[in-house]
Every structure is written in C-alpha cells, then in structure tokens.
Amino acid sequence: AQSVTQLDSHVSVSEGTPVLLRCNYSSSYSPSLFWYVQHPNKGLQLLLKYTSAATLVKGINGFEAEFKKSETSFHLTKPSAHMSDAAEYFCVVSLFRGGSYIPTFGRGTSLIVHP
Amino acid sequence: DTGVSQDPRHKITKRGQNVTFRCDPISEHNRLYWYRQTLGQGPEFLTYFQNEAQLEKSRLLSDRFSAERPKGSFSTLEIQRTEQGDSAMYLCASSSLSRGRDTGELFFGEGSRLTVL
C-alpha cells in the first residue's frame, strides 16, 4: 500500500545543533516529495520539493533534504537550529489514487528548539 | 491577488446544524483541494477539483459532506447535520499546472476552524 511515514512525532534539539526530521514513503513509482512547515496559528508553507531533478534539494531558511530511492527516504536536515525553527513539519508525497496524484501528508513532526 | 483565502476563519455551531465554508484560490490556479486537520495530526485529504470537475473524493467524505466549485473559481464545502466529530480545521489549497504538469506545490489558506458543540 502507498503511504508516507514520519518516524518521529517530536524532535527536541538545542539551538545551534543539527536538525534531522525523518520521512519514509512507500510507492510503486518515483513520486514528487515535499516538506511543509506550520508555525503556530499560521498557514502551511512549502519548505522544499523534489520532482525528479537533483536528489539533494535546498529549501528556505537553510533546510535541505536528500531523496534516497534505495531507502525510500526523504529526510529533512538543517546544520544549525534556530529558535524560530520551532514548528510542526510535514512530509508530503504525491500518491497515485483513483486516477489522480494526491498530495498526502505524514502525521507531522513537532520540532522543539531549546535555548 | 494575495493568496488563498478562506471564510469564515472560525465557526461554532450546535450539533445537527449545517455549515458552509468558502475558499477562494489563487486566481490562475485550476486545481483546488480540501483537507481536514485535527489536533496533533497531519492534514487528511477530503476532495479535489480540476476547474469545476470534482475528480477525487476520500472515503472520509461521508454523504453529509458536499463540495462544489461551480465556475471553476471559488469552492464551497458544506457539512450537513454536523456531529462533534466534525470539529476540525478545514484547509483549502490550490495549485497550478506548469507546462501541462502539476507542479505539486500547494498554496494553503489559513483554514476554517469548526467547533461543534
């Protein structure tokens, strides 16, 4: 079955340390992959997207993600966390269903940044 | 055009009442999606339109839910005979085609929060 899995519901880091948010997917083809961020009481915003070009994708605010087909993963990273990065992060995969590609969200990972 | 707008932002209603939400997408976007998000969960797909055609509906969309996009511009999502389990944030998003392919990037509104008492 096609699916998207975010492996951690919460990730806690100290300011200035690296961030790793994990995402795995299950699909019978190479889908389009995205990361979105949702700050408290704000709308969802696109961080970055992979659409079969370079496997290392750079996004806004210093985030990047690497598409690894062999591992069916699309983990989000940032070298140094900032307090303003505290938010909910969603991995999104365009899964084929009923004749259409539907952007399908993972359950989300809450990033907590300690001073 | 500043983005996707949704109305109302908040709605409190009593169980059994009908509610309707409106979404105005970015004007040149021909695809429009509705999602539902509950606390601590990711947005769940409900339905999507390409122009005025409703092309896909989730099993989450029971017969109490109906969505329309009559002229291929704004869309409405109606919930009839609301239940407490319908309490959620209802999100609308739009996207566009680029060179005949969906870019896949969704532009979201800020959502309509429904509370059913």
Side-chain angles (χ1 to χ4, degrees):
Chain A
Q2 301 182 98
S3 64
V4 53
T5 303
Q6 290 185 245
L7 296 156
D8 307 294
S9 59
H10 296 84
V11 169
S12 182
V13 301
S14 297
E15 190 175 21
T17 63
V19 175
L20 169 64
L21 305 183
R22 299 182 292 167
C23 175
N24 285 90
Y25 69 92
S26 173
S27 175
S28 55
Y29 56 93
S30 291
S32 296
L33 300 155
F34 309 82
W35 278 96
Y36 284 79
V37 61
Q38 188 176 37
H39 286 93
N41 300 315
K42 295 287 180 79
L44 285 151
Q45 181 185 17
L46 179 70
L47 270 180
L48 50 79
K49 64 180 178 182
Y50 167 78
T51 53
S52 75
T55 56
L56 183 62
V57 181
K58 293 188 184 298
I60 62 172
N61 300 333
F63 284 94
E64 61 183 37
E66 185 173 8
F67 171 63
K68 292 187 176 180
K69 186 175 181 178
S70 61
E71 299 175 11
T72 60
S73 69
F74 190 57
H75 300 334
L76 182 70
T77 60
K78 183 173 180 177
S80 176
H82 191 272
M83 294 296 291
S84 62
D85 295 328
E88 193 80 15
Y89 291 80
F90 296 97
C91 180
V92 180
V93 181
S94 285
L95 298 178
F96 192 72
R97 49 187 284 182
S100 303
Y101 290 94
I102 302 298
T104 303
F105 283 72
R107 66 175 180 172
T109 298
S110 179
L111 177 63
I112 301 161
V113 183
H114 298 287
Chain B
D1 192 317
T2 57
V4 178
S5 62
Q6 294 188 242
D7 183 71
R9 294 288 310 281
H10 303 275
K11 179 71 176 179
I12 300 173
T13 191
K14 293 182 179 179
R15 188 176 54 187
Q17 297 295 304
N18 299 343
V19 296
T20 299
F21 301 114
R22 176 180 169 124
C23 172
D24 287 89
I26 295 171
S27 58
E28 63 269 25
H29 286 185
N30 62 347
R31 291 190 170 180
L32 186 148
Y33 299 79
W34 284 99
Y35 286 83
R36 180 174 70 186
Q37 186 177 23
T38 53
L39 197 62
Q41 301 295 319
E44 297 171 295
F45 170 76
L46 292 178
T47 189
Y48 106 95
F49 294 83
Q50 180 162 311
N51 301 314
E52 65 276 7
Q54 188 174 20
L55 297 186
E56 183 67 21
K57 291 185 349 181
S58 164
R59 293 174 195 170
L60 292 174
L61 217 65
S62 75
D63 56 6
R64 295 186 297 106
F65 288 70
S66 62
E68 294 183 343
R69 196 183 182 198
K71 298 181 180 179
S73 56
F74 74 92
S75 175
T76 58
L77 176 69
E78 182 183 16
I79 310 174
Q80 295 182 325
R81 306 181 302 281
T82 52
E83 302 173 356
Q84 288 183 324
D86 297 330
S87 296
M89 178 74 84
Y90 290 85
L91 297 168
C92 176
S94 66
S95 70
S96 66
L97 293 175
S98 174
R99 298 176 185 171
R101 293 190 61 188
D102 194 338
T103 62
E105 179 179 357
L106 298 176
F107 293 80
F108 281 88
E110 295 200 3
S112 293
R113 183 171 295 283
L114 173 65
T115 302
V116 182
L117 301 176

